[in-house]
Amino acid sequence: YPGVYARVSYYADWIKEQTECARRTGKFCPPMPTTCGVSEELLRVSIFTDDVPDDTSWTVENTCGSSSDVIMSGGPYEYEFSLFVSEMCVPEGQYEFTIEDFCGDGINYPGYYRVEYGNDEEAIGGIFDDSDTSLFGSCTPSPNRNSKAAKCAKSSFQASFNKSGGTSLYHATLIGFTFALNVVAVAASSALL
């Protein structure tokens, strides 16, 4: 059966890894998570094909800058009712995912697509006509907590305490948030004030 052999041989490495892992641990072993560098996010596109996989294709474009660059693409697919996952670490930015269906009927049930960027699910679906598009991310990078500038920045702390009546309950305002502070020892509260 050449078709069956071709399908199985395509996944031979994965089958071997899973068999060895199951022998060692006695259970299914998921793939190791991809770890991205500083100022990068994991971009993952999952496609579960329908009964006509060769009419589905997709692209992801980086929309920051003067021209859009295709950074990922997939399809058309050969195997029906199969899961295909593509992932890569990309710089923080704004991206446009476009999925197209040559026949104009989207991805039929139980097929679907899912796009994840960082820790967020940005797009999921299957019901569309010729194409579907999702825009996500931002061309303005978010502050990186691990950068040298972030580590060396001086933090500002502002607090004001107001005693409420004759009790030992104080109200504090801390950078726009108000909370109640119940003082256990009066001596400690006097030292703080």
Side-chain angles (χ1 to χ4, degrees):
Y1 299 107
V4 173
Y5 174 76
R7 229 180 190 176
V8 172
S9 66
Y10 179 78
Y11 295 103
D13 290 338
W14 181 85
I15 293 169
K16 183 179 177 185
E17 289 172 14
Q18 292 303 312
T19 304
E20 289 172 4
C21 183
R23 193 175 313 136
R24 283 191 320 271
T25 65
K27 60 183 178 179
F28 173 77
C29 300
M32 295 297 292
T34 302
T35 304
C36 295
V38 175
S39 298
E40 288 185 324
E41 294 287 348
L42 180 64
L43 177 58
R44 178 182 295 125
V45 177
S46 304
I47 306 289
F48 189 80
T49 57
D50 61 8
D51 57 335
V52 188
D54 61 344
D55 69 344
T56 302
S57 61
W58 57 270
T59 60
V60 175
E61 296 180 42
N62 182 342
T63 61
C64 297
S66 58
S67 64
S68 295
D69 297 321
V70 174
I71 60 164
M72 292 174 73
S73 62
Y77 296 99
E78 186 177 348
Y79 302 113
E80 56 191 41
F81 306 113
S82 299
L83 178 64
F84 295 90
V85 179
S86 300
E87 60 182 32
M88 69 183 292
C89 293
V90 297
E92 291 182 21
Q94 185 173 21
Y95 298 94
E96 183 176 80
F97 169 78
T98 302
I99 187 164
E100 296 177 328
D101 186 86
F102 182 75
C103 293
D105 62 352
I107 301 177
N108 299 318
Y109 182 81
Y112 65 89
Y113 68 86
R114 179 180 14 229
V115 179
E116 299 164 276
Y117 176 66
N119 296 321
D120 299 319
E121 185 176 83
E122 299 293 347
I124 189 166
I127 300 172
F128 60 94
D129 293 324
D130 295 327
S131 66
D132 199 10
T133 302
S134 296
L135 189 66
F136 54 91
S138 172
C139 290
T140 306
S142 63
N144 186 341
R145 294 184 300 263
N146 297 324
S147 71
K148 181 178 179 182
K151 288 180 180 177
C152 298
K154 303 250 189 244
S155 59
S156 62
F157 176 82
Q158 295 177 343
S160 62
F161 296 92
N162 299 313
K163 188 170 183 180
S164 182
T167 68
S168 62
L169 181 64
Y170 289 81
H171 293 281
T173 303
L174 176 64
I175 313 174
F177 296 98
T178 301
F179 57 93
L181 182 67
N182 192 359
V183 179
V184 176
V186 175
S189 66
S190 298
L192 291 173
L193 299 176

